[in-house]
Each structure stands twice: as C-alpha cells, then as structure tokens.
Amino acid sequence: MTDILVPTWPLRPYAAAPPPPGWRPTRRLTLLMPFHRETAATLARSARAVAALDYPAELLQVLWLVADGPEHAREAEQAEHARAAAGRPELDWRVLRLPGMRPKGAALNHAFPHAEGEIVAVVDADVVPDPGQPAEAVWALEHGHALVQAEEVGEPGQRLTSRVKTAEDTVWHASVRGLARAAGVHVVAGSSVYAWSATWDRVRPIRSDDVEESYHWSLRLMSEGASTGFLRRPSRVSSTDRPGAALRQRARWARGQLRAVVVSWPELSPRGRLLGAVTVGSMAARAAMPALLAAAVVSPRARKAAAAVVVADAACVLGARRSPEYRDRADGLAWALVVPWHLVGALAVYRAVWEWARGDRGWHSVRETADTGPAAAPDREGTSR
C-alpha cells in the first residue's frame, strides 16, 4: 500500500488478545489462494505453508485458484503436483480452475460460491502465513471483529532495496495501526485477510476493474462501521529487491487507491470519507516532497514546508522503530534510508496520475513469474499483484 502520514507510536494495544492455551477452533474455515502465472517454486512454497497450518483438518477447506483453459494447463498441473507433494491427503484441498484470474477481484468473485466456511480468508500466492495464524484469526473474529488481517513481513534479503523495503513496510503497518487507534478507521491489506462469510457479502461482488480491491473493501467497511482488527502472528512475503519493481508496485497501489476513492466517494459515510481523505492527503504530501525540497533552495517559505513534511515522515519512521514489536525487523541502515526512499517513492504518485490520465488500466507484476521471469514486466491485461 501507499504511505500514511499519521502517528505510529505508541502502538498499544498492538493486536487482538491471543487465544488461551489449549483452545481449539470449532469453525469451518476456507482459504482462498489465487495463483496466476506463478513459478513452480512459488507453488511448492505455498504448499508447504498450507501443510504446516495448525488448524483442525476436518474444519479446513483450501481452494487454490488457477485459470482454466489450455494455455494455463501447465500451471494447473504444477499446482496439483505441489498439492500432492505436500502430503496432507486428509485436507479438503482442491485446485479450482476458474474462467478468469484477471484481475484478482474477478477471480474471487468466481471463487466465493465454492467457499463452504463460516469464515473465509484471502491469502495471496507469495504469502506464507504463520502456522497458528488461522486459529488466532478465528478467535479474534469470535470476539467481536468482522474482519482481521495479519501483517506481512518481508523475507530476509541481502540487497539493500529489500532491507529498506522491509523497514518501509513496517512503517506502513505501524501507520495503519496508528490510524486505527487515532481515528477508528482501518486500511485493509488484502493479502492475509480473514472475515466472516457475512462480512464478505457486504463487499461482494468485488470490483474487477483497476480499483485496488482491498482498499475498496476498506472504504466500504469503514463507511458501514464494521469492526476490524489486527493479528499478532504475521505472514512472510517474498522480498522485493529491485527498485524499479518496487516503484511500479507503489504506482499501481496509488492509482488503485485514488480510483477507489473517486468511485466510492458519493456513497461513503463520514467515517469512510475520513479514510479516503487521509489517504489522498498523505499521497499529496508525499508527492509534494521533491517539489518542496527543490523550491527550498530559493524560497524560505518552501524551506519551512519541506522541513515540516520531512520531519513528519521521520517521526513516523522513528515511532515504528521505537516499537518493540518492530525494531528488529530491519537493520539500522535500512531504517535510516526509509525517508530518502520515500522521497524517491514520491515519483510513483506522479506515475500513478500519469497512468490514470492516459487510460492505463493494467497492473504491474512485481516478482518473478512463470511467464515473465525476473524482469517482472507490466501485465497490461489487468493482473492484480
């Protein structure tokens, strides 16, 4: 997601209370896991994660979502092979071939009628949930939440970009928690999300255009006053170690969020409009950083404005860095480079506006895929990643 310039410290309460020792879930849970043009390594990694989940097998349904058709037959075969190799025959675990996987919202619309659980989770292809995460999510939902989400922690990478991205993502999570604490509104990240089936009904059918689908859920649910929360057990996510890919990812998030605000604004309640205003205002402040710093060379007034934005950003980073839950996720150099990286990342806001103006409705792939390889080329037909 894009940055939110809100206080990030202190973070108490950090997340929903964990279940007590010995508690076991009794709810039927469905995991919807969309795959599109993934490598065999990604499928195998995800299969190992499913096999490791600590959830009663008789209550767990896992639906791997892949595209149907002869051109996608290899991916479906690889998915079946990875599922079989995981060694969990007792699970209700199927590879579900869908008529379309582009964008993600369309795939989920096809998949939801097959979900049998009282609780349905959406877990992305490159996400590895903590084994105890599903049980913790069920506990949190049973204690009053309509939807809960897990944080995503980037897997360790040797390159500086991946380390800075890990620190940046941590600041984003801290900002989301800070916003929820200060204003009672919540930005949902759609890669590790658990919700009651009835909650999903409130946001279905999921938009299948260039709107960022999970942010659109956020606006809808906040506008309706839904109770949302956070989990203690995180997910691991593939690291992004190429600056260009990271900027493309940020641009598509920014464009999708801006679009979501525009298409949703007339129907939003004050709570939903507050979330939209904070998001757009944060993007505007971020986009202003390079211009203000350039103008500061000749204008004392611009110098003060630039200093204010930079200090606000640095305060958010410092707040996350001071939190005991977050401080060890990145090294000192990575934390120090988050603000400079945000300055570079401001260019993504301009790119998002430019893409929107020229009618670009595609999504940018940001990791290695079976078709694109490490170049991670843009998917002009609308694949959500």
Side-chain angles (χ1 to χ4, degrees), residues 241-256:
D241 57 11
R242 298 181 305 277
L247 291 174
R248 289 195 301 271
Q249 183 183 47
R250 182 189 288 269
R252 76 95 164 162
W253 278 336
R255 173 164 48 86

Side-chain angles (χ1 to χ4, degrees), residues 104-334:
K104 177 178 168 182
L108 293 177
N109 284 331
H110 291 306
F112 265 108
H114 299 272
E116 300 171 358
E118 293 177 79
I119 295 168
V120 179
V122 176
V123 179
D124 276 0
D126 63 336
V127 167
V128 176
D130 181 279
Q133 186 185 106
E136 181 186 349
V138 171
W139 170 266
L141 292 168
E142 288 182 341
H143 285 76
H145 290 302
L147 175 148
V148 290
Q149 75 179 46
E151 292 186 348
E152 296 167 14
V153 180
E155 292 182 328
Q158 296 301 316
R159 294 189 179 183
L160 184 58
T161 299
S162 66
R163 289 154 50 200
V164 176
K165 274 288 296 174
T166 296
E168 180 196 32
D169 291 345
T170 301
V171 175
W172 184 84
H173 287 300
S175 296
V176 169
R177 292 179 187 274
L179 181 61
R181 183 188 67 248
V185 293
H186 176 185
V187 180
V188 178
S191 301
S192 300
V193 179
Y194 300 76
W196 294 105
S197 179
T199 302
W200 290 115
D201 289 341
R202 297 162 72 173
V203 299
R204 292 174 56 203
I206 296 170
R207 290 189 71 101
S208 55
D209 52 13
D210 61 322
V211 165
E212 209 293 317
E213 69 280 335
S214 62
Y215 185 74
H216 188 248
W217 307 339
S218 309
L219 294 172
R220 291 275 300 274
L221 293 174
M222 293 306 99
S223 195
E224 295 179 11
S227 173
T228 56
F230 306 95
L231 302 176
R232 294 173 182 269
R233 295 177 181 267
S235 296
R236 289 183 291 112
V237 64
S238 303
S239 62
T240 302
D241 57 11
R242 298 181 305 277
L247 291 174
R248 289 195 301 271
Q249 183 183 47
R250 182 189 288 269
R252 76 95 164 162
W253 278 336
R255 173 164 48 86
Q257 288 179 279
L258 289 171
R259 284 273 300 154
V261 172
V262 169
V263 301
S264 304
W265 190 264
E267 63 191 40
L268 296 180
S269 72
R271 192 165 175 245
R273 291 188 175 189
L274 174 62
L275 176 57
V278 169
T279 303
V280 174
S282 296
M283 285 192 208
R286 183 73 66 220
M289 286 178 66
L292 288 173
L293 288 172
V297 177
V298 296
S299 169
R301 184 173 298 179
R303 200 170 300 141
K304 292 180 180 179
V309 175
V310 171
V311 168
D313 195 14
C316 291
V317 175
L318 180 61
R321 173 66 179 81
R322 293 178 64 185
S323 173
E325 290 86 0
Y326 289 144
R327 65 167 61 104
D328 294 330
R329 290 191 183 177
D331 57 71
L333 178 60

Side-chain angles (χ1 to χ4, degrees), residues 30-36 38-51 53 61-68 75-86 91-98 101 107 111 114 123-125 127 129:
T30 296
L31 299 185
L32 299 180
M33 307 181 73
F35 296 86
H36 182 58
E38 304 296 345
T39 63
T42 298
L43 290 162
R45 176 174 173 268
S46 183
R48 291 191 296 270
V50 171
L53 293 178
Q61 179 192 31
V62 181
L63 298 178
W64 273 13
L65 315 179
V66 301
D68 197 7
E75 183 175 37
E77 291 172 2
Q78 290 178 330
E80 292 284 7
H81 176 75
R83 181 188 63 80
L91 286 181
D92 179 7
W93 183 358
R94 289 178 283 153
V95 176
L96 188 62
R97 304 189 187 202
L98 302 178
M101 291 293 297
H114 299 272
V123 179
D124 276 0
V127 167

